[in-house]
Amino acid sequence: MRFDGTDAYVATPDLMVAVNAAITLERPLLVKGEPGTGKTELARQVAAALGLRLIEWHVKSTTRAQQGLYEYDAVSRLRDSQLGDERVHDVANYIRPGKLWEAFAAPERCVLLIDEVDKADIEFPNDLLQELDRMEFHVYETGQTIRAARRPIVIITSNNEKDLPDAFLRRCFFHFIRFPDMETLRRIVAVHHPGVKEELLAIALTRFFELRETPGLRKKPSTSEVLDWLKLLLAEDLTAADLRADPKEALPRLHGALLKNEQDVALFERLAFLNRGRE
């Protein structure tokens, strides 16, 4: 079982090595990187490439580790007891399996995505250590043990918003997705916008990298944002000439696809003002 990328996802050699190493070691793959660099999409493409089912667990700030295992709906059971419902005599009727339960109970190997693990409380990763190590957990209400029939391929993503516990990191194979260089970004664009003209692409990517490298930028535009920008350029039928740098116009055309806060827009407006003042 080996991941070699897909036609819909440009995976760099080091990323493919990381995925295959995690599969061989049977360890969770912890993937970090800027938002928009394809961390979540990686899990989907790994599942597609290997022909496996994908189970997605999207973590929020309020998510608890227990929710990934199961939840006991005591409120529904109390209501049913008041109504005289016969279901109340079997506690299993009120156990709601979580995503880990779903992955462990799958009859065939699957891919489990735990997305944006750093959004939750700092104790969240530690609370999953034993379950991810042993691939089993106990359901106290029913006395049953849920054990993985086939160890799933676990891919965990993080936007690096907070440090993760050392004990958790020790159990993972780690990979940081670096922002793609010009050539890799060209390959990514070719997958999503195969008809873009070479001259337009060259000017657009040059402007994009100039914008990303501007000192003082609060939020650098990501891979997904440059793809959105190119889609707009194509929809508006803009040419390379329309994008050529003009010192009087520091903001690129349709910049709302790239700059996502007023501070960064103001920065480029100041740069344009300074350039005009030098004339």
Side-chain angles (χ1 to χ4, degrees), residues 95-265:
I95 300 296
R96 307 286 183 254
K99 295 297 183 180
L100 264 71
W101 184 325
E102 189 178 344
F104 289 2
E108 298 179 349
R109 197 173 197 184
C110 63
V111 175
L112 171 63
L113 168 65
I114 304 178
D115 197 30
E116 298 189 329
V117 69
D118 53 331
K119 276 189 175 180
D121 184 86
I122 190 62
E123 290 303 318
F124 177 88
N126 276 338
D127 291 343
L128 291 176
L129 290 181
Q130 181 171 308
E131 288 75 17
L132 291 177
D133 256 356
R134 298 183 180 179
M135 286 289 152
E136 66 177 36
F137 63 89
H138 188 69
V139 183
Y140 296 99
E141 288 80 4
T142 63
Q144 65 187 130
T145 297
I146 305 300
R147 185 175 292 109
R150 294 289 306 275
R151 179 179 282 267
I153 297 171
V154 182
I155 297 179
I156 304 171
T157 72
S158 168
N159 286 329
N160 228 5
E161 293 182 3
K162 63 168 70 91
D163 292 334
L164 298 173
D166 288 346
F168 178 77
L169 296 175
R170 192 167 60 248
R171 289 163 168 81
C172 298
F173 190 93
F174 172 75
H175 182 74
F176 183 84
I177 298 182
R178 293 179 176 84
F179 192 83
D181 57 21
M182 179 74 81
E183 183 54 37
T184 303
L185 196 52
R186 281 176 172 272
R187 291 168 55 204
I188 294 172
V189 170
V191 169
H192 295 270
H193 304 299
V196 64
K197 293 180 179 179
E198 176 57 33
E199 186 181 9
L200 174 63
L201 179 59
I203 294 294
L205 292 186
T206 299
R207 292 230 61 191
F208 171 73
F209 276 102
E210 288 173 350
L211 186 149
R212 261 187 67 89
E213 294 162 9
T214 301
L217 202 64
R218 293 189 61 177
K219 183 197 175 302
K220 294 183 178 182
S222 67
T223 307
S224 62
E225 287 161 338
V226 73
L227 293 175
D228 287 345
W229 186 49
L230 283 165
K231 183 176 181 179
L232 289 173
L233 297 181
L234 294 172
E236 294 292 325
D237 200 23
L238 297 180
T239 65
D242 296 322
L243 295 184
R244 293 190 190 282
D246 181 351
K248 297 180 182 179
E249 297 293 337
L251 283 167
R253 299 284 291 271
L254 299 166
H255 63 269
L258 300 173
L259 301 175
K260 298 302 177 70
N261 62 64
E262 63 276 16
Q263 293 90 343
D264 287 342
V265 172

